[in-house]
């Protein structure tokens, strides 16, 4: 929304009081909060026009007391017309200021009516830090909600007039209410998403204690030293938890953008998760294709509450698949364990202690799953599995290889360092660009890398050559890829990204190509930059990048069209590989790249002419559909194969 709650004032209504961990901590996160009204099971708090600094100080005082209620609030700190009332009061006389705030006409109402008025009050945020379900969907009954103690104060989702709901407490709204509110433009996740920090912190505490127990048992650490070490890493652990929260919330924002453009992927993924992961679509209120089509016609898509469920199921499924595979046993996955634990802990324990942690497989699988799904989205594994036939674990393996070679962790950290200078749209744009690069590279990896190869060995083989190609790419890239490279470079520089970082990021958009060049280089035993010059110079003969872009745009939401397009993209990759090998096979020793390409054109001019004419005819067509692209791709593959096999003339 473009609002920084640490700087700009935000208005808040709430459920809870300052003695509660969730409500109290939440209401002390920012000194700019204007808490207008709140209630718990005992009292109702009204402050029509609070002074942010004065009210912050009073909330802090209450929070620091051994126990407190709203009745302990200093009335002199309230604004004109404010008050604190018993929740069970039969008659509450409201000031003019309170009535204007709550938008009610009656001067006297009871406590239950006042609570409903607070829930309906316009504000930036409704912060739920209490117990109970206070909002239902219009078509739900109180009996279906199952919280009889709050039946008298519950409202419909259509009555909410806040911009954002934060669910620090459990089930403040029913899932159907969340969806209804989100469809009306409200911003909301689910309580599981908003509450994930506490669960994550508990898990990390337990896993740390399991790890350190070994050192205590071996006498390398006393119990007191162990306790001091736990205290020492508290801030580090807290930051890791918060980083996970930020990553997961950002993942949902990226999912919203994807769902607007690729709704069919989410339909297919929900069916996949139903078959593979135990998702009960009706029970979780995931809409079918008919309802999704209706939403699309209304300019709507899947809501964050629905996407939260799909994100959760996709993570649970992938984690289980990874644990059931041999992937957690791969030595390279030690990196996931190192990322999970604080640096001071990693420095103190042996690598063997990390590898033999009782929950090492589960931790590594969790870290890998979160990294993958938070960036790639909930539909990624289902899509690649559908298109390639690869298992979820094989896809995760390919992603880990690609992400490590790409240096994804470092790139994301660099984006976060300049986050304040980026708008949300710019940040999400870069994240989606990274997703696109990894998507293509993972497909290449599952297609071309042996399944039984060691992950660390694969990373080591490719990382150096890819880095070398990134450095030399400005001088060897051609055609539409050169335009894409220079365009990205300019965008990054305008965004304030340092030049050396900009060049690497701009180059990494061609990661799939760089890995293919590396593979060819190893096959023919030629320097990787020499192979790269030939590979990219072929863009002056056939614009493979343009064909690939057309293939990405051609299929609609039909699953079979998407699979056909993916197959054609793989065929184009083989054609480019064929031509690269053909040039290298006939190149004269010491010949420049221009001389090599000139010799190539002279030897295969007729067949190259057939491919160029086909592409020109395609581009002149008024309807560049999948059928036309299929013909052009197949002819390109056929001619490249004939060239590679030494048939130079048509």
């Amino acid at each position: 929304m473009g609002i920084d709650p640490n700087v700009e004032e935000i208005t808040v209504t709430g459920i809870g009081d300052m003695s509660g961990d969730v409500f109290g901590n939440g209401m002390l996160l920012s000194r700019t909060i204007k808490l207008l009204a709140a209630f718990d099971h005992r009292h109702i708090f009204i402050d029509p026009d609070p002074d942010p600094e004065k009210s912050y100080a009073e909330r802090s005082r209450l929070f620091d007391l051994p126990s407190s209620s709203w009745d302990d609030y200093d009335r002199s700190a309230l604004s004109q017309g404010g008050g604190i009332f018993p929740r069970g009061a039969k008659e509450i006389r409201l000031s003019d200021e309170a009535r204007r705030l709550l938008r009610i006409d009656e001067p006297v109402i009871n406590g239950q009516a006042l609570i409903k008025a607070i829930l309906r009050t316009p504000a930036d945020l409704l912060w739920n830090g209490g117990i109970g379900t206070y909002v239902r969907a219009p078509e739900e009954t109180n009996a279906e909600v199952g919280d009889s103690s709050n039946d008298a104060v519950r409202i419909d989702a259509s009555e909410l007039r806040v911009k954002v709901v934060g669910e620090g407490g459990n089930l403040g709204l029913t899932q159907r209410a969340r969806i209804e509110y989100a469809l009306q433009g409200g911003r909301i996740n689910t309580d599981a998403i908003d509450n994930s920090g506490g669960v994550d912190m508990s898990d990390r505490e337990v896993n740390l204690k399991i790890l350190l127990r070994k050192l205590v048992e071996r006498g390398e650490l006393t119990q007191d030293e162990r306790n001091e070490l736990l205290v020492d890493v508290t801030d580090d652990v807290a930051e890791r938890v918060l980083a996970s929260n930020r990553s997961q919330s950002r993942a949902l924002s990226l999912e919203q953008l994807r769902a607007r453009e690729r709704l069919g992927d989410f339909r297919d993924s929900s069916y996949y998760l139903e078959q593979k992961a135990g998702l009960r679509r009706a029970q979780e209120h995931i809409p079918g294709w008919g309802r999704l089509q209706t939403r699309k016609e209304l300019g709507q898509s899947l809501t964050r509450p629905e996407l939260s469920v799909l994100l959760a199921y996709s993570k649970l499924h992938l984690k289980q698949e990874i644990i059931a595979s041999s992937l957690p046993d791969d030595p390279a996955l030690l990196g996931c364990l190192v990322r999970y634990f604080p640096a001071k802990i990693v420095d103190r324990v042996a690598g063997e202690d990390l590898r033999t942690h009782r929950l090492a497989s589960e931790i590594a699988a969790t870290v890998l799953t979160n990294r993958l799904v938070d960036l790639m989205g909930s539909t990624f594994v289902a899509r690649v599995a559908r298109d390639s036939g690869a298992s979820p674990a094989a896809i995760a393996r390919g992603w880990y290889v690609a992400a490590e070679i790409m240096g994804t962790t470092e790139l994301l950290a660099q984006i976060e360092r300049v986050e304040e200078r980026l708008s949300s749209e710019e940040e999400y744009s870069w994240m989606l660009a990274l997703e696109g690069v990894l998507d293509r590279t993972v497909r290449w990896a599952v297609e071309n890398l042996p399944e039984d190869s060691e992950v660390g060995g694969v990373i080591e083989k490719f990382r150096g050559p890819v880095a070398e190609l990134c450095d030399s790419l400005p001088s060897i890239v051609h055609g539409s890829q050169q335009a894409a490279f220079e365009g990205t470079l300019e965008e990054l520089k305008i965004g304030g990204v340092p030049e050396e970082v900009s060049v690497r990021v701009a180059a990494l958009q061609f990661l799939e190509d760089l890995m293919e060049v590396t593979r060819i280089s190893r096959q023919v035993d030629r320097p990787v930059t020499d192979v790269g010059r030939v590979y990219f110079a072929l863009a002056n003969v056939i614009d493979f990048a343009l064909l690939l872009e057309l293939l990405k745009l051609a299929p609609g939401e039909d699953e079979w069209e998407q699979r056909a397009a993916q197959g054609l993209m793989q065929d184009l990759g083989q054609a480019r590989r064929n031509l690269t090998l053909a040039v290298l096979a006939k190149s004269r020793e010491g010949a420049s790249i221009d001389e090599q390409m000139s010799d190539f054109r002279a030897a295969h001019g007729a067949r190259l002419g057939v491919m160029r004419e086909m592409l020109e005819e395609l581009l002149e067509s008024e309807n560049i559909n999948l059928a036309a692209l299929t013909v052009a791709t197949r002819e390109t593959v056929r001619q490249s194969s004939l060239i590679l096999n030494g048939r130079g003339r048509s």
Side-chain angles (χ1 to χ4, degrees):
M1 294 169 63
I3 297 172
D4 183 351
N6 292 314
V7 177
E8 302 169 67
E9 290 183 356
I10 58 169
T11 56
V12 181
T13 56
I15 304 167
D17 63 77
M18 293 307 298
S19 67
D21 282 349
V22 174
F23 188 90
N25 278 293
M27 290 297 95
L28 293 177
L29 278 177
S30 170
R31 304 183 80 95
T32 58
I33 286 172
K34 297 183 73 171
L35 182 61
L36 305 175
F39 64 89
D40 65 0
H41 59 289
R42 297 166 294 184
H43 299 96
I44 300 171
F45 167 90
I46 306 288
D47 195 2
D49 187 21
D51 176 279
E53 194 59 40
K54 185 187 292 185
S55 58
Y56 179 89
E58 181 59 13
R59 290 197 302 275
S60 297
R61 186 185 70 81
L62 292 189
F63 187 73
D64 290 337
L65 293 175
S67 64
S68 68
S69 72
W70 285 122
D71 197 38
D72 296 309
Y73 198 93
D74 182 356
R75 269 63 168 180
S76 68
L78 293 171
S79 60
Q80 182 70 34
I84 295 162
F85 314 100
R87 174 169 172 161
K90 301 298 183 183
E91 291 188 357
I92 297 173
R93 184 167 295 277
L94 296 174
S95 66
D96 292 342
E97 293 84 0
R99 288 163 58 199
R100 280 195 296 271
L101 168 70
L102 302 171
R103 299 190 181 184
I104 56 178
D105 297 324
E106 299 85 354
V108 179
I109 60 175
N110 62 34
Q112 293 177 341
L114 183 53
I115 287 174
K116 295 179 82 168
I118 290 172
L119 292 170
R120 298 188 187 107
T121 298
D124 294 321
L125 170 69
L126 170 60
W127 176 240
N128 173 32
I131 298 170
T133 305
Y134 296 93
V135 187
R136 67 183 181 191
E139 66 274 16
E140 283 184 300
T141 65
N142 284 330
E144 289 175 305
V145 172
D147 175 26
S148 58
S149 62
N150 288 300
D151 284 353
V153 298
R154 190 171 298 118
I155 66 168
D156 289 349
S158 56
E159 299 176 88
L160 280 173
R161 287 182 285 184
V162 291
K163 297 174 183 175
V164 181
V165 173
E167 289 197 80
N170 291 322
L171 204 63
L173 293 80
T174 67
Q175 177 68 352
R176 290 167 72 183
R178 296 185 190 113
I179 295 168
E180 180 71 25
Y181 169 66
L183 287 172
Q184 294 172 7
R187 290 167 168 86
I188 186 171
N189 297 320
T190 62
D191 49 1
I193 295 291
D194 289 351
N195 275 327
S196 64
V199 177
D200 190 6
M201 180 65 83
S202 297
D203 284 349
R204 288 174 184 272
E205 180 184 354
V206 170
N207 290 330
L208 272 170
K209 289 176 178 177
I210 291 173
L211 180 63
L212 294 178
R213 182 186 300 161
K214 295 181 180 181
L215 277 70
V216 173
E217 290 174 349
R218 293 200 300 261
E220 297 173 19
L221 202 65
T222 68
Q223 192 69 23
D224 287 343
E225 289 172 333
R226 172 262 205 188
N227 293 342
E228 289 173 9
L229 187 55
L230 287 174
V231 171
D232 201 28
V233 299
T234 297
D235 289 345
D236 188 328
V237 174
E239 179 50 40
R240 288 166 191 269
V241 170
L242 292 172
S244 294
N245 285 152
R246 288 193 292 269
S247 178
Q248 191 157 246
S249 184
R250 183 172 57 195
L252 287 171
S253 296
L254 294 172
E255 289 284 77
Q256 283 186 289
L257 295 174
R258 295 184 186 105
R260 289 173 198 160
E261 300 295 326
R262 309 197 305 252
L263 197 55
D265 286 348
F266 288 85
R267 168 203 61 194
D268 297 343
S269 178
S270 68
Y271 294 148
Y272 172 88
L273 292 171
E274 194 170 39
Q275 294 172 351
K276 305 287 187 181
L279 169 67
R280 296 182 180 180
R281 290 171 52 251
Q283 186 173 307
E284 298 286 0
H285 310 294
I286 302 298
W289 188 230
R291 285 169 61 195
L292 287 176
Q293 288 286 68
T294 301
R295 285 192 194 175
K296 191 173 183 181
E297 291 168 5
L298 296 171
Q300 298 175 330
S301 185
L302 284 163
T303 64
R304 286 180 78 98
E306 292 161 332
L307 293 168
S308 297
V309 171
L310 295 177
L311 195 76
Y313 273 92
S314 66
K315 285 187 174 186
L316 290 168
H317 171 60
L318 181 58
K319 177 183 173 182
Q320 290 164 358
E321 290 289 315
I322 292 172
I323 291 172
S325 74
S326 61
L327 185 56
D329 299 326
D330 193 295
L333 268 289
L334 179 64
C336 289
L337 294 172
V338 170
R339 281 191 178 94
Y340 180 82
F341 290 105
K344 287 184 179 179
I345 298 292
V346 174
D347 291 342
R348 189 68 183 263
V349 303
E352 187 61 24
D353 287 331
L354 289 175
R355 279 189 290 269
T356 58
H357 190 289
R358 196 168 69 205
L359 297 172
S361 294
E362 288 80 0
I363 294 170
T366 299
V367 171
L368 177 52
T369 295
N370 283 335
R371 287 182 65 201
L372 187 157
V373 178
D374 282 356
L375 180 57
M376 308 302 291
S378 62
T379 70
F380 171 70
V381 170
R383 279 188 290 112
V384 179
R386 177 197 69 193
D387 296 340
S388 67
S391 69
I395 295 165
R397 175 182 172 279
W399 185 89
Y400 188 75
V401 167
E404 290 298 297
I405 292 170
M406 188 177 188
T408 305
T409 301
E410 294 76 18
L411 288 174
L412 291 175
Q414 287 161 358
I415 289 174
E416 288 183 357
R417 279 196 287 273
V418 298
E419 192 173 31
E420 289 184 2
R421 299 203 298 270
L422 299 174
S423 67
S424 295
E425 290 75 15
E426 288 172 321
E427 181 182 1
Y428 297 153
S429 175
W430 285 117
M431 302 294 290
L432 292 172
L434 288 179
E435 176 214 339
V437 171
L438 286 168
D439 186 304
R440 296 190 300 273
T441 309
V442 169
R443 292 174 187 275
W444 181 91
V446 298
E447 182 75 19
N448 293 289
L449 299 179
E451 273 196 46
D452 57 351
S453 54
E454 189 180 85
V455 170
V458 173
I459 293 169
E460 199 58 38
K461 285 178 185 176
F462 282 91
R463 181 182 276 149
V466 166
E468 186 179 344
L469 285 166
C470 283
D471 292 338
S472 59
L473 199 67
S475 63
I476 65 176
V477 71
H478 291 270
S480 57
Q481 286 185 305
Q482 182 179 22
F485 174 80
E486 292 173 351
T488 303
L489 198 60
E490 185 63 24
E491 281 185 54
L492 288 164
K493 288 179 179 178
I494 291 172
V497 180
E499 185 169 354
E500 65 276 10
V501 177
S502 299
V503 171
R504 182 167 177 78
V505 173
L508 282 171
Q509 67 185 298
F510 309 118
L511 180 60
E512 174 191 11
D513 293 321
L514 303 184
M515 292 183 71
E516 178 64 19
V517 168
T518 301
R519 188 166 73 112
I520 296 171
S521 153
R522 295 179 65 85
Q523 178 182 336
V524 300
D525 195 24
R526 297 276 290 273
V528 70
T529 49
D530 289 353
V531 176
R533 286 189 180 92
V534 171
Y535 183 90
F536 287 106
L538 283 167
N540 295 325
V541 180
I542 299 293
D543 198 337
F544 286 98
L546 177 58
L547 274 172
L548 281 170
E549 193 60 33
L550 292 172
L551 279 169
K552 288 178 201 169
L553 298 172
E557 292 179 337
D558 181 80
E559 172 188 340
W560 294 102
E561 284 191 1
Q562 292 173 2
R563 295 174 75 170
Q566 285 295 334
L568 292 171
M569 289 180 202
Q570 291 176 2
D571 292 343
L572 272 182
Q574 184 60 50
R576 193 170 186 176
R577 174 184 172 81
N578 288 344
L579 295 183
T580 303
L581 289 169
V583 175
L584 293 168
K586 300 296 183 181
S587 61
R588 291 176 284 124
E589 188 174 347
S592 68
I593 185 63
D594 289 338
E595 290 171 331
Q596 291 180 63
M597 296 311 297
S598 179
D599 291 347
F600 180 65
R601 286 191 183 92
H604 304 287
R607 295 202 183 281
L608 294 173
V610 171
M611 287 188 274
R612 281 196 299 271
E613 288 172 13
M614 182 71 71
L615 181 56
E616 288 168 6
E617 184 181 348
L618 176 70
L619 294 176
E620 290 171 2
S621 172
E622 293 182 1
N623 183 22
I624 305 178
N625 55 28
L626 193 59
L629 286 165
T630 300
V631 173
T633 300
R634 292 289 160 78
E635 187 59 30
T636 302
V637 172
R638 190 175 78 87
Q639 294 295 340
S640 73
S641 181
L642 291 171
I643 288 171
L644 180 61
N645 291 326
R647 300 178 187 177
R649 305 292 175 192
S650 298

